[in-house]
Amino acid sequence: MDIIISNSSDTPIYLQIAEAIRYSIISGGLKEGDVLPSIRSLAKELSVSVITTKKAYEVLEGQGYIKTHQGRGSVVSARSASLAREHRLSELEQHLLEAADIARELNISAEEFAETARRLYDIE
Amino acid sequence: MDIIISNSSDTPIYLQIAEAIRYSIISGGLKEGDVLPSIRSLAKELSVSVITTKKAYEVLEGQGYIKTHQGRGSVVSARSASLAREHRLSELEQHLLEAADIARELNISAEEFAETARRLYDIE
Amino acid sequence: MDIIISNSSDTPIYLQIAEAIRYSIISGGLKEGDVLPSIRSLAKELSVSVITTKKAYEVLEGQGYIKTHQGRGSVVSARSASLAREHRLSELEQHLLEAADIARELNISAEEFAETARRLYDIE
Amino acid sequence: MDIIISNSSDTPIYLQIAEAIRYSIISGGLKEGDVLPSIRSLAKELSVSVITTKKAYEVLEGQGYIKTHQGRGSVVSARSASLAREHRLSELEQHLLEAADIARELNISAEEFAETARRLYDIE
DNA sequence: GTGGTCTAGACCACG
DNA sequence: GTGGTCTAGACCACT
């Protein structure tokens, strides 16, 4: 669980945690059936309130990534990997759609747009 | 000033207004030196609080698009059009960069990525 | 908003609140578009913590009954009435299924079972 | 003792065990005077904590189904079968009463209600 | 005024 | 040990 949280970010901490865990799932660090750290131990590790980690887990549970059981902690649920991948794909599409909107607004052609996309992909 | 605001959107109303005005500037509906409607008349027209329109104008002023003078209303400032274009370009780049990040995370190749960008451009 | 909450009940307070509101929706006390009391005023009225009312509203929002907007409170969303009815119907079915399970376990015939259901319906 | 416990269920494990034993009593698998497995052997068989099986036995003892004697294990007590039957009957009644409440709330007639009960009885 | 987020600290049920 | 619920009190963003 190497999660880095930023207090200055404008995405709330509980979402930063949830996304870090989702990333762990997608990148294979966490697999189906794996047990997540307890909300209390994670809270201590990240120096945040228990409520914050709990909320992160609630979000993930609401989206079907994990299952939580009283007294037994939380485990990564089946289908979580494919769920996470779908989620990221739709985010990618969302970004491209917004970018395309702007491109049309600025009279940038489809070719130029695709070209720019390609170029920015290679940058980093 | 035909601005449509959506209550169900999760971008705050004052930003929706600011962006609508910026769009008017970039698309030529508002030119340098044009006088904007007063915050009170605009508030009435959009059925929102005066505080909200005021905040929208403050944002635009802070970014250099308009100039507000005590008792004389607000006017579109010089260079506003090029400013707006630059702003939108950087937003476009930002979206593409985030999309590219996700694409690499999901092992999507540069070709596939550029291809998807092209396809989504044509959709709407 | 006449909600009666019981501290001795074993269903959590936030769920009691959520169900009372759902009942208001189903019984016509709250209609689509109606504005709910603010979480703070409701908390004061019920003598519970703000967090508790907030959680109740979060539950209702998660199930699609209401929509909450920062700074503007919460409103009953469209479809909420039919949603609520569906929800109660599935609860009714659930109870009957569990009852039927027990009836079969106790060798109670279908006729006896239906008869008992009829009789208990009339009791109150 | 063929008890199947489900980790995904939201009824606590100790209650699942208690109910499985009660079912054994009602269905004749366990008769008055029969000796139950020790809490330790049952715990090992089900791969749960000793605390859990102990709690299940405590529940059953509290309801009069079994008698536990220091160092001599637990036996099914007299009248346990009729007790269990009564218990299940009252549960059945409880479910039907709640279902009837909902039915009246939704303006479902007594006939429709009894008809639905009959239909759901036959389903499985 | 509104809701959104976060804190520290408490009690309870489950294993 | 675990999570589930609740409290009082705080700061921030939006209207």
Side-chain angles (χ1 to χ4, degrees), chain A residues 17-37:
Chain A
I17 297 174
E19 279 170 22
I21 293 176
R22 183 160 45 217
Y23 180 76
S24 271
I25 291 172
I26 217 179
S27 66
L30 283 172
K31 298 195 192 312
E32 301 173 2
D34 283 2
V35 180
L36 292 168

Side-chain angles (χ1 to χ4, degrees), chain C residues 84-124:
Chain C
R85 189 177 172 89
E86 274 171 44
H87 175 81
R88 290 298 266 168
L89 264 176
S90 92
E91 279 186 343
L92 172 113
E93 193 161 285
Q94 203 51 45
H95 280 299
L96 284 182
L97 279 172
E98 290 199 36
D101 275 352
I102 301 176
R104 281 192 299 269
E105 180 185 318
L106 299 177
N107 287 318
I108 293 172
S109 74
E111 280 73 29
E112 264 184 284
F113 180 60
E115 185 50 39
T116 309
R118 230 218 111 96
R119 184 169 51 77
L120 290 175
Y121 180 100
D122 292 325
I123 275 184
E124 193 169 339

Side-chain angles (χ1 to χ4, degrees), chain B residues 2 9 12 17 21 33 39-40 42 49 69 77 87 93 115:
Chain B
D2 41 331
S9 163
I17 297 174
I21 294 176
I39 58 175
R40 281 186 175 68
L42 184 58
S49 161
H69 300 287
S77 64
H87 175 79
E93 193 162 286
E115 185 50 39

Side-chain angles (χ1 to χ4, degrees), chain A residues 12-14 48-49 51-52 70-71:
Chain A
I13 298 178
Y14 74 92
V48 298
S49 161
I51 290 185
T52 307
Q70 250 209 21

